[in-house]
Amino acid sequence: MSAGQPQRRSLAALAGIGLACALAAGLFAGLGVWQIERRAWKLQLIERVDQRIHAAPVAAPGPADWAGVSPAADEYRRVRVSGRFLNGQESQVQAVTDHGRGYWVLTPLETGEGFTVLVNRGFVPAERRAPASRASGQPEGPVTVTGLVRMTEPNGAFLRSNDPAAGRWFSRDVAAIAAARGLGTVAPYFIDAEPMPGGADRPIGGLTVITFPNNHLIYALTWFTLALMALAAGVFVARDEWRRRADPHRIRPAGSGEGARCATGSTF
């Protein structure tokens, strides 16, 4: 083996380590930038939703607008619609709220504009699940509902599938509920109603939970820290190699590529 081979191998190993550190730093920095972009998007979303829920109500989207209804354009939009509840076709969806465990009461509303939309009238505890137990809270005449547009929740909850045949609902799946109740074509969204007038046993409305976790800054700082650590590791290795080459008599640990050096500087 020539004298230059160990040196070339050492340089190749150093280059490989440097490349790995650079790639790792670039990857971590890219993830950090992505989290910064996500944070900006999340802040815009929070501002947009806050404006929607405090805006004056507008007409609920009718059939001509259904094709364009989307979470980005319509979720949490404050709307108002008038019509009659089809109380005999209501469905109860299991729920957990600040009031405890119980059910959301989803009732079809036949609007004056000629379409049907599901309305989440609010929460009832288990003992008031049956409509007969809250008769004074079941309006029969014309009503006006103000609330927030919500997107359908297909299939069910985590590890819990809806069972339409048994009337067990774990999510507010508009299409499935409409099919199970024979409602025909309904709006592709539902409305979370604000509190409505009625008896003391009426469903408790206005319980929409609007939370958007925003931990992106913490994630970004974590990724940027890892990028700096990767760069620092590369600099440390490069500096150590530089010092070794500047001092050829420097004692290296046993098992190094150029052989172990004893205290006298001899190589064996």
Side-chain angles (χ1 to χ4, degrees):
M1 181 182 294
S2 64
Q5 284 182 325
Q7 184 177 12
R8 287 195 295 273
R9 288 184 177 180
S10 178
L11 288 174
L14 181 63
I17 294 173
L19 179 61
C21 290
L23 289 174
L27 174 63
F28 294 146
L31 290 171
V33 171
W34 176 65
Q35 287 294 338
I36 291 295
E37 294 173 348
R38 289 280 296 173
R39 179 175 182 270
W41 169 82
K42 184 65 67 67
L43 291 175
Q44 292 175 356
L45 173 63
I46 293 172
E47 181 181 3
R48 184 167 65 247
V49 169
D50 185 67
Q51 290 175 350
R52 287 179 182 177
I53 64 177
H54 292 104
V58 298
D65 303 315
W66 289 352
V69 171
S70 68
D74 299 285
E75 183 100 62
Y76 301 110
R77 188 178 301 281
R78 194 160 177 251
V79 297
R80 179 171 291 162
V81 64
S82 298
R84 291 177 180 270
F85 281 124
L86 304 179
N87 291 309
Q89 303 286 2
E90 77 170 39
S91 300
Q92 299 89 28
V93 180
Q94 291 194 22
V96 179
T97 72
D98 290 341
H99 297 273
R101 292 182 176 272
Y103 299 88
W104 298 121
V105 176
L106 263 69
T107 308
L109 179 74
E110 198 172 57
T111 72
E113 288 75 24
F115 66 91
T116 301
V117 60
L118 285 180
V119 175
N120 176 18
R121 297 184 55 217
F123 171 83
V124 293
E127 61 270 18
R128 289 185 177 170
R129 180 183 184 184
S133 66
R134 43 185 163 82
S136 64
Q138 300 286 95
E140 296 291 342
V143 296
T144 297
V145 175
T146 301
L148 303 178
V149 170
R150 301 297 309 279
M151 297 297 107
T152 183
E153 301 167 348
N155 302 323
F158 180 66
L159 298 179
R160 290 182 172 185
S161 298
N162 292 327
D163 186 354
R168 285 196 294 268
W169 301 98
F170 301 99
S171 72
R172 294 163 289 192
D173 187 334
V174 171
I177 292 175
R181 290 297 185 182
L183 299 176
T185 303
V186 301
Y189 58 87
F190 65 93
I191 298 175
D192 265 352
E194 296 177 0
M196 297 179 62
D201 56 357
R202 70 185 183 278
I204 304 171
L207 298 181
T208 306
V209 177
I210 303 175
T211 57
F212 298 99
N214 187 14
N215 299 316
H216 299 294
L217 182 59
I218 295 175
Y219 296 153
L221 292 175
T222 300
W223 289 122
F224 287 140
T225 300
L226 290 173
L228 290 174
M229 292 174 64
L231 287 176
V235 170
F236 176 82
V237 172
R239 185 181 63 178
D240 185 69
E241 184 66 16
W242 178 269
R243 288 178 176 176
R244 186 188 67 79
R245 292 182 181 283
D247 183 10
H249 299 294
R250 183 184 178 193
I251 299 177
R252 291 177 58 84
S256 64
E258 295 184 21
R261 296 179 182 274
C262 65
T264 61
S266 61
T267 303
F268 57 92

